[in-house]
Amino acid sequence: MSNDSSSEAQLKTLMKLTLVFDTAGEVLLGKGAPAMMYQAGRDAGCARLDTLGRAGDEEEALRLALNEGGEVWQVERWREPGSDGLWIEDKDRTYTWVIFRRCPLLSLARSAGSNLGGMLCQALHGYIAGSMESMLGRRADMKVGHCGPRACKILVELRP
């Protein structure tokens, strides 16, 4: 067996295991599974301060938090119509939108039928938000704007 076919078999097996965890977790935890997994992911991301260090600004924190996994992800920024920049200052928050074009969870949903926006997505969003929070020392959250078969649009919010 070649290395390529072995790696492909391992990837397919990992995707099946991930689907089992996604399905079993939602059955076990019930309707609250996505919220619980978001918080668990967020806690894990917040615990990364020792490995990430501090970021100089929102853009650097977002770039560092989304940079893990390199070629596995394709993430774009979305600019709100009429806005001058990617980050928008509001009275009680700073926010931006990101578009996930390529993501292992999108691939899993297409190939195995996992629940987009569900437990696994929420754990990932919580992890990224927690990572940003640990780098910036500000509350960070990620909220689903849209989850679809080709892309997901996610709101990233920072609070003082």
Side-chain angles (χ1 to χ4, degrees):
M1 187 183 277
S2 73
N3 263 352
D4 287 343
S5 61
S6 175
S7 295
E8 187 174 324
Q10 288 178 3
L11 179 60
K12 285 181 180 178
T13 300
L14 183 58
M15 288 182 79
K16 286 178 187 174
L17 287 170
T18 304
L19 179 64
V20 169
F21 288 133
D22 186 42
T23 305
E26 289 194 14
V27 169
L28 177 67
L29 298 172
K31 290 181 181 181
M36 285 186 261
M37 292 304 291
Y38 180 87
Q39 189 59 49
R42 201 173 158 284
D43 291 347
C46 284
R48 297 192 58 221
L49 180 58
D50 293 342
T51 58
L52 289 173
R54 292 280 183 198
D57 62 14
E58 296 92 354
E59 195 62 30
E60 181 184 11
L62 183 61
R63 183 181 47 76
L64 290 170
L66 295 175
N67 200 29
E68 289 187 62
E71 67 281 347
V72 174
W73 308 94
Q74 180 185 356
V75 180
E76 299 170 11
R77 300 298 295 286
W78 188 77
R79 185 183 306 241
E80 282 200 21
S83 68
D84 293 333
L86 293 171
W87 288 93
I88 297 167
E89 297 284 334
D90 206 348
K91 58 184 171 195
D92 62 344
R93 66 183 179 147
T94 302
Y95 67 94
T96 191
W97 290 93
V98 293
I99 307 290
F100 285 81
R101 298 267 182 213
R102 184 172 55 229
C103 164
L105 301 178
L106 281 167
S107 299
L108 182 64
R110 282 192 295 265
S111 66
S114 75
N115 183 16
L116 276 177
M119 190 179 82
L120 293 176
C121 291
Q122 290 303 313
L124 174 64
H125 298 158
Y127 180 76
I128 293 169
S131 296
M132 289 185 68
E133 187 168 322
S134 72
M135 287 185 275
L136 294 169
R138 295 173 62 185
R139 173 71 186 207
D141 281 303
M142 293 185 78
K143 299 175 182 175
V144 174
H146 166 78
C147 278
R150 291 189 202 107
C152 294
K153 182 179 175 187
I154 309 297
L155 177 69
V156 179
E157 288 184 322
L158 300 172
R159 298 198 184 272

